Amino acid sequence: MNKLKLIAFMSALMLAGIAPVAHAGDTAGGKSVAPAAQDPSAQPLTLQSWLSGTSATADWLGFGPALKEDGLTLSGRAKENFYGQVAGGYPNTPDDNWITEIKLKAIFDFSKVGIDGLTFQSAWRYRGTTGSTPETGIAGPALAAGTSGASSLFNPTAINSGFGPRILPQYLEYTTPDKKVTFSAGWENAFDLFLQQPLSQLFENNNLNNSRGIGAQLGAGIPVVNPVIASSGGFPGVGTPTKGGVRFFGTSAVPWSTSYAAWGGTLKVKPTSDTYIQSGLYEAIAGATGINGTQFTATSVYPYTSVPASYLGTIRYSNEITPVVGGNGQIIPGAMQNLGWIPAYYNNHGFDFGGASGAPSAWVAVKPTTATGGTVLGSSAATYKNAADQFVASPALYANSPFDQGGIDGNHAHNGLYNVDEIGWTPKLGPDQLEGKYAVGDYIWGQPNTNFTPTQFTVSVFNPSTGKVAYTSYGATKPNPFEENAFAWGMYFQADQQLFSLGGPKDPNGPCTTRGLYSFNEFTFTTPQNNAMPLYFQTGLVFNGPLDCRPNDAVGIAVGAGFYSPYFNRYTQSQNQQFENAVGSAFNATLPNGPTQKGAVNPTTGVANTGLTSGSPLTNYYAYAPNYTSTEVIEAFYRIQLNKWASFKPDIQYIVNPGGNGTVKDDVIIGFSATVNF
């Protein structure tokens, strides 16, 4: 913990908390005290007037009213968060962490210049953390909580990505005079416009606050064979084995977070005062929110692999060299291994206005189907036609996917279309006019992907005289997904309702309009064939104004649960049962007890090319990777409203089975946040 920051922070809280603040309805000596009607611009700024004002900047140093009169409204929020892990999680990660978030927003109303109904909105953000991994800037809690399994949606904080300054949506919006039609266009984010559930954003857990079950891993990525060329001419000779390995180009999950923005537009129509229909169409940009560093999870170290368990929780790097652990758990003296390519961390800060880009790697091509004869570069090797009816050159360069697999950094680079639709009902029920919202929505994320369907694919060498397989490499016989799809889709259902009201004035500092008990509920579904977490639900209660003496405080509790795909588990088990030796060789066998760390196998001798820099060839077997089941989170908070613009909120989270597969102990996270509005 940063002690200086904590001391300064607590001092500011004490100053705001002990200062007398007059609100309408406050009492002094049993008598009601009304706030004085004063012109702020005519009064000097004092500590008392600042603390009892409406913003931490004293209405932008007094310029706010004048700017608003000219059409410009400025707003902002600063949030300081602390998270401390008291149980569970991974080693080698911070147990506590500070994260700072500052948001600024400007709205210009064109009615001040004669164009009624038209506004322009501009939003910006800064995030920083003192508990990050220095090489990546990743927030500590995301690592410490051990949620880097098949889905990291259950991170204990929603503000664990997009660090540094970041541009947020910038768009024009027009509303007709009767308020029935609204259209916006520009640099937009569907997250800001659809599935609006303000009560859930009072919680800190990423799924409860932000993702709400949308954005889990989509398939295994697009597989490509990275061949080892045998001949000096750059292409394999006739019948030459090429011991290629499989490389996966990552596919971006649905970016349901505040960090995404893309070109597009949204149309909203209100047929009645309490119903609406809206639809948005945007650009789907691969990797627009950046890529976080890849962590050594429980299943990427011993007893599941040859990487020492001491690496658990640390960040992986491309071509990292580690010792080798045998099947007995002992390090093999002198033996080292190269971990190969790992997706690199990057953060584009939201300025990717041109969309995804990057030239495909030189060896990327597509899978052959039938031989067509002919020659390639003067050699006797036959050319082949792929499923797209294209002529391609070398069998060693063939890959499974007909899509553009990506750029030279190994990340999938693609631009598509992103569509979100929603229909909703916002009634006010009963004599107390209890507010509710009931909505159904769907989304289509236009990024090509592969399903969790294991199969053999991609031969390495053809016999050009027969057009049949001459030899299939070790890397090609490992079961991998091949069923492709052009997009991901899903649906969500929302039911929020105020359950009862205590009356009283509206709360200007939170999503609740009056004192009372509120509920929020959400369920999301997507296809299990290509999504690691196809089912998720969350439900919660928030009591606004629980005490007569604290009418603007709030207390809440929520539960979220995500359930993993059976297709994902079948894929995991297929990887456990990969082939040891090449199909067609005399040494072909199925592993009796889990995967091996052997590399490509020599078809003549059956000896593994392990890639070790020294030491004996690795001949040990390791444990099967476990299946995934579900992950749950329970969170509770109490928000103390210090004055009109400052609040302090302690909270506690209990994350059950955070890794999703039983490899990480349950997490207990205790933290607090302080928020000031500008």
Side-chain angles (χ1 to χ4, degrees):
M1 181 187 303
N2 189 318
K3 293 183 179 180
L4 291 178
K5 182 177 285 189
L6 177 60
I7 292 172
F9 170 67
M10 295 303 295
S11 299
L13 283 180
M14 291 176 63
L15 178 62
I18 63 175
V21 180
H23 297 282
D26 286 354
T27 60
K31 297 181 179 180
S32 177
V33 178
Q38 297 176 337
D39 180 3
S41 62
Q43 300 295 325
L45 180 64
T46 65
L47 178 62
Q48 173 63 30
S49 63
W50 173 59
L51 292 174
S52 60
T54 59
S55 76
T57 59
D59 211 347
W60 300 93
L61 301 179
F63 291 101
L67 292 173
K68 192 171 184 178
E69 183 66 25
D70 291 333
L72 182 62
T73 301
L74 301 176
S75 62
R77 187 191 74 174
K79 186 178 181 183
E80 190 74 20
N81 305 267
F82 171 78
Y83 304 89
Q85 180 173 283
V86 297
Y90 285 155
N92 302 311
T93 56
D95 290 328
D96 56 69
N97 188 42
W98 287 89
I99 303 180
T100 300
E101 180 182 74
I102 301 173
K103 288 185 174 181
L104 298 174
K105 186 175 183 179
I107 301 177
F108 183 76
D109 184 356
F110 284 87
S111 66
K112 301 298 183 179
V113 293
I115 309 177
D116 292 339
L118 182 66
T119 62
F120 176 75
Q121 299 191 26
S122 174
W124 300 77
R125 186 187 72 199
Y126 170 81
R127 283 178 181 171
T129 174
T130 60
S132 63
T133 301
E135 296 84 354
T136 66
I138 302 171
L143 305 182
T147 56
S148 299
S151 172
S152 60
L153 298 182
F154 286 93
N155 286 322
T157 172
I159 54 176
N160 64 337
S161 63
F163 286 95
R166 191 173 191 89
I167 186 171
L168 297 181
Q170 317 281 318
Y171 60 90
L172 287 165
E173 181 177 274
Y174 176 75
T175 301
T176 57
D178 59 7
K179 310 298 183 183
K180 289 188 176 182
V181 179
T182 299
F183 175 74
S184 61
W187 189 246
E188 295 193 356
N189 186 359
F191 176 88
D192 297 329
L193 303 167
F194 296 83
L195 189 51
Q196 295 299 288
Q197 194 173 57
L199 289 171
S200 68
Q201 294 188 302
L202 293 172
F203 296 84
E204 296 298 318
N205 187 274
N206 180 63
N207 242 339
L208 297 174
N209 175 294
N210 192 71
S211 297
R212 300 167 205 153
I214 302 175
Q217 175 183 334
L218 295 179
I222 297 175
V224 178
V225 168
N226 184 12
V228 178
I229 304 300
S231 69
S232 60
F235 293 95
V238 177
T240 301
T242 61
K243 306 173 183 65
V246 177
R247 176 171 171 180
F248 288 89
F249 280 65
T251 300
S252 296
V254 181
W256 204 261
S257 76
T258 59
S259 296
Y260 183 81
W263 297 113
T266 308
L267 176 65
K268 183 175 183 178
V269 179
K270 298 190 67 175
T272 65
S273 61
D274 60 357
T275 61
Y276 67 89
I277 302 172
Q278 63 183 30
S279 179
L281 183 63
Y282 319 97
E283 187 178 18
I285 305 174
T289 58
I291 292 179
N292 286 346
T294 302
Q295 192 178 16
F296 281 99
T297 64
T299 53
S300 56
V301 299
Y302 184 83
Y304 304 102
T305 76
S306 62
V307 177
S310 60
Y311 283 77
L312 178 61
T314 62
I315 296 295
R316 304 170 67 182
Y317 304 98
S318 287
N319 298 315
E320 184 174 359
I321 305 297
T322 74
V324 178
V325 174
N328 59 1
Q330 302 298 313
I331 291 179
I332 300 175
M336 305 296 289
Q337 58 188 329
N338 188 323
L339 299 183
W341 174 80
I342 304 294
Y345 172 87
Y346 74 90
N347 180 8
N348 60 42
H349 301 297
F351 289 90
D352 53 350
F353 298 123
S357 62
S361 299
W363 44 263
V364 173
V366 291
K367 182 176 64 175
T369 53
T370 58
T372 61
T375 61
V376 179
L377 300 179
S379 72
S380 59
T383 55
Y384 294 89
K385 225 180 212 185
N386 61 30
D389 203 36
Q390 300 168 326
F391 285 97
V392 290
S394 170
L397 303 185
Y398 293 154
N400 178 57
S401 175
F403 298 112
D404 172 13
Q405 287 87 2
I408 57 176
D409 61 353
N411 297 313
H412 177 70
H414 181 80
N415 294 313
L417 293 178
Y418 179 24
N419 167 239
V420 186
D421 308 290
E422 183 176 300
I423 181 171
W425 176 44
T426 56
K428 294 183 178 180
L429 304 178
D432 290 333
Q433 296 289 285
L434 301 177
E435 296 181 348
K437 179 183 178 182
Y438 301 85
V440 178
D442 66 81
Y443 59 86
I444 298 175
W445 174 243
Q447 289 291 324
N449 189 23
T450 46
N451 292 347
F452 288 118
T453 305
T455 186
Q456 299 176 29
F457 82 106
T458 310
V459 296
S460 291
V461 169
F462 280 80
N463 185 326
S465 62
T466 64
K468 297 181 179 179
V469 177
Y471 169 73
T472 304
S473 76
Y474 166 82
T477 58
K478 178 178 178 179
N480 285 289
F482 85 108
E483 290 186 358
E484 295 159 348
N485 54 77
F487 57 83
W489 71 272
M491 297 188 67
Y492 59 83
F493 306 86
Q494 178 183 358
D496 299 353
Q497 182 63 57
Q498 183 180 8
L499 302 179
F500 67 82
S501 173
L502 295 179
K506 292 185 177 182
D507 176 9
N509 303 294
C512 308
T513 57
T514 61
R515 293 180 63 196
L517 183 64
Y518 297 76
S519 70
F520 66 92
N521 306 273
E522 187 253 358
F523 168 79
T524 183
F525 164 80
T526 186
T527 50
Q529 289 86 351
N530 69 330
N531 192 287
M533 185 182 288
L535 298 174
Y536 173 82
F537 80 87
Q538 64 184 36
T539 182
L541 294 171
V542 174
F543 201 126
N544 188 55
L547 303 172
D548 290 341
C549 61
R550 302 294 306 174
N552 289 317
D553 287 357
V555 61
I557 186 170
V559 177
F563 302 89
Y564 289 92
S565 164
Y567 291 87
F568 178 65
N569 281 329
R570 293 173 196 171
Y571 169 73
T572 300
Q573 291 307 311
S574 74
Q575 302 306 288
N576 287 333
Q577 299 163 1
Q578 66 184 352
F579 291 108
E580 176 183 356
N581 295 326
V583 172
S585 76
F587 306 95
N588 178 222
T590 301
L591 297 180
N593 188 29
T596 177
Q597 293 299 297
K598 291 179 178 178
V601 178
N602 187 306
T604 304
T605 65
V607 175
N609 173 17
T610 64
L612 303 181
T613 57
S614 63
S616 303
L618 182 60
T619 58
N620 297 284
Y621 301 105
Y622 299 84
Y624 279 146
N627 281 339
Y628 289 82
T629 54
S630 64
T631 300
E632 294 79 27
V633 60
I634 304 172
E635 182 177 348
F637 74 86
Y638 188 93
R639 187 194 70 187
I640 304 168
Q641 194 66 41
L642 299 172
N643 60 12
K644 293 181 180 180
W645 49 263
S647 64
F648 176 69
K649 185 186 70 177
D651 72 275
I652 183 171
Q653 301 179 45
Y654 181 56
I655 305 176
V656 181
N657 191 20
N661 57 6
T663 59
V664 183
K665 293 181 180 179
D666 294 352
D667 292 326
V668 178
I669 310 292
I670 295 177
F672 59 81
S673 63
T675 303
V676 296
N677 296 319
F678 299 156

